[in-house]
Amino acid sequence: MARGLRSWLGGCLLVSALGMVPPPENVRMNSVNFKNILKWESPALPKGNLTFTAQYLSYKKFQDVCTSTRETECDFSNLSKYGDHTLRVRAELTDQHSDWVNITFCPVDDTVIGPPGMQVEALANSLHIRFLAPRTEKEHETWTMENIYNSWVYNMRYWKNGSDEKFPVTCQYDVEVLRNLQPWTTYCVQVQVFLPDWNKTGQWSEPVCEQTISDDSAPSWVVVVVVLASSVGTCLLLAGCLALLWCVYKRTKYAVAPGNALPQHLKEFLSHPHHNKLLFFSFPLSEENEVFDKLSVVTEVSESCKQDSGDSYSLRTPSGGISPSSY
């Protein structure tokens, strides 16, 4: 607080006595994954309305990036990633301005590697972890920080949730498996990027916590029972489907083209073999093969009938029979 008071008094003295505007304070570059933000603090003045202008040196000439802005930061993310860049900023008050404050910035050296992403999957007594390199600012979405630097290693640490003991692991690849963990236990994982050739470490990611599961497998007899039950159920289902299709087929066939069925009594009659033979031989033959015989029918008359009538009589056939006397 005392330092702020001295700055305010100094600013008042410069403006009132010398007519000078004090320069911005604490000028610095905040760069993460090549997102380059130049920041500063406004000088203490008895009256406001201060604005700022920020520039960078390009081919021996300074180029404006932010002009007459009231913000205390300016985005320089469009700078080339390689080489040293000279940046400067000044404060302005109406037609007066402060001196320039210069800094030198090399993006590939000075930018901070942001925290990588993580995908954690809990399996039997283990955690399967996939690392995702941070993306690069102002580049295609598939372009990551790993494409900028040759050497790339992941520093990982994990611990039981609620415990202070942490176990470090160095990972050369994008995939890592933590084995032989306690089942049904929650573990937390953090990771950061390390560049061996640059001796440079990145920011730690937020902890990701997952609970492991047990590797207990089902007994073999349970597997056999499940397989058999599934097979039987499948067979029954298939048989039911076939029966249903056959029933639908029969009903559809009868509805479209119903058959001519024999009466029930005729079916019963024809079911006996001797009836079939009788029916076969009962059909009349042609007239050329027909043979007829004469038949006479003689009836026996009782004595009482003879006495009453006194005469005998004879019966003839429709074709003309013989009398009893002739017989």
Side-chain angles (χ1 to χ4, degrees), residues 308-323:
D308 294 335
S309 61
D311 296 317
S312 61
Y313 62 92
S314 61
L315 297 176
R316 294 185 178 181
T317 62
S319 60
I322 59 176
S323 64

Side-chain angles (χ1 to χ4, degrees), residues 12 24 37 80 121 132 146 157 175 234 259 280 308 316 321:
C12 292
I37 305 297
S80 172
E121 182 182 6
L132 305 174
E146 193 173 3
R157 59 189 182 190
V175 178
T234 303
F280 175 77
D308 294 335
R316 294 185 178 181

Side-chain angles (χ1 to χ4, degrees), residues 27-31 36-39 76 79 87 103 105:
V27 180
R28 63 204 181 275
M29 175 59 73
N30 185 359
S31 177
N36 311 318
I37 305 297
L38 182 67
K39 294 188 175 184
F76 284 84
L79 292 177
L87 315 178
I103 66 169
F105 171 64

Side-chain angles (χ1 to χ4, degrees), residues 254 258-271 276 279:
Y254 180 79
N260 297 322
L262 294 174
Q264 184 64 29
H265 67 280
L266 186 56
K267 291 181 179 180
E268 295 178 356
F269 176 79
L270 295 177
S271 63
N276 291 337
L279 181 62

Side-chain angles (χ1 to χ4, degrees), residues 39-322:
K39 294 188 175 184
W40 60 87
E41 295 177 3
S42 177
L45 287 177
K47 52 184 178 180
N49 298 326
L50 273 179
T51 59
F52 304 92
T53 296
Q55 302 175 337
Y56 75 98
L57 182 61
S58 174
Y59 300 105
K60 298 182 180 181
K61 182 180 179 181
F62 280 95
Q63 302 289 335
D64 290 335
V65 179
C66 299
T67 57
S68 301
T69 178
R70 295 183 180 275
E71 302 293 332
T72 57
E73 63 181 36
C74 185
D75 192 345
F76 284 84
S77 299
N78 289 324
L79 292 177
S80 172
K81 298 177 178 59
Y82 306 97
D84 293 334
H85 301 277
T86 300
L87 315 178
R88 67 182 186 178
V89 61
R90 74 180 181 182
E92 301 166 342
L93 180 63
T94 60
D95 57 348
Q96 300 178 355
H97 60 79
S98 70
D99 294 333
W100 292 101
V101 178
N102 297 347
I103 66 169
T104 302
F105 171 64
C106 180
V108 74
D109 290 337
D110 300 334
T111 194
V112 176
I113 309 298
M118 275 193 303
Q119 295 176 350
V120 182
E121 182 182 6
L123 297 179
N125 295 347
S126 63
L127 291 179
H128 291 234
I129 306 168
R130 181 179 180 84
F131 306 119
L132 305 174
R135 290 178 52 190
T136 304
E137 187 70 16
K138 301 294 184 180
E139 295 289 352
H140 192 269
E141 61 181 5
T142 60
W143 195 265
T144 66
M145 296 293 289
E146 193 173 3
N147 299 114
I148 305 297
Y149 299 96
N150 295 327
S151 60
W152 191 273
V153 176
Y154 291 100
N155 288 337
M156 183 182 65
R157 59 189 182 190
Y158 69 98
W159 64 94
K160 290 183 183 179
N161 191 23
S163 174
D164 295 331
E165 185 180 7
K166 298 183 179 181
F167 305 95
V169 179
T170 300
C171 310
Q172 302 289 338
Y173 304 101
D174 294 340
V175 178
E176 183 67 21
V177 180
L178 300 179
R179 306 181 186 275
N180 301 322
L181 302 179
Q182 295 182 4
W184 309 115
T185 304
T186 300
Y187 287 87
C188 297
V189 182
Q190 267 187 314
V191 65
Q192 70 172 179
V193 173
F194 175 64
L195 305 178
D197 293 348
W198 302 75
N199 194 24
K200 185 176 183 178
T201 56
Q203 297 176 335
W204 284 103
S205 66
E206 292 295 326
V208 177
C209 299
E210 287 288 340
Q211 186 183 44
T212 59
I213 60 177
S214 176
D215 62 346
D216 295 337
S217 57
S220 57
W221 66 270
V222 174
V223 176
V224 172
V225 170
V226 172
V227 171
L228 290 178
S230 302
S231 302
V232 172
T234 303
C235 293
L236 292 177
L237 181 61
L238 182 60
C241 292
L242 293 177
L244 180 62
L245 291 175
W246 177 254
C247 182
V248 171
Y249 167 75
K250 295 293 290 184
R251 289 183 177 274
T252 304
K253 181 180 178 182
Y254 180 79
V256 174
N260 297 322
L262 294 174
Q264 184 64 29
H265 67 280
L266 186 56
K267 291 181 179 180
E268 295 178 356
F269 176 79
L270 295 177
S271 63
H272 299 284
H274 64 279
H275 288 168
N276 291 337
K277 296 179 180 180
L278 181 62
L279 181 62
F280 175 77
F281 291 108
S282 64
F283 288 103
L285 301 175
S286 61
E287 294 181 358
E288 297 178 356
N289 299 326
E290 289 183 354
V291 178
F292 296 94
D293 292 328
K294 290 182 180 182
L295 176 65
S296 297
V297 178
V298 179
T299 59
E300 183 180 356
V301 181
S302 62
E303 292 295 332
S304 60
C305 292
K306 290 179 181 181
Q307 293 176 1
D308 294 335
S309 61
D311 296 317
S312 61
Y313 62 92
S314 61
L315 297 176
R316 294 185 178 181
T317 62
S319 60
I322 59 176

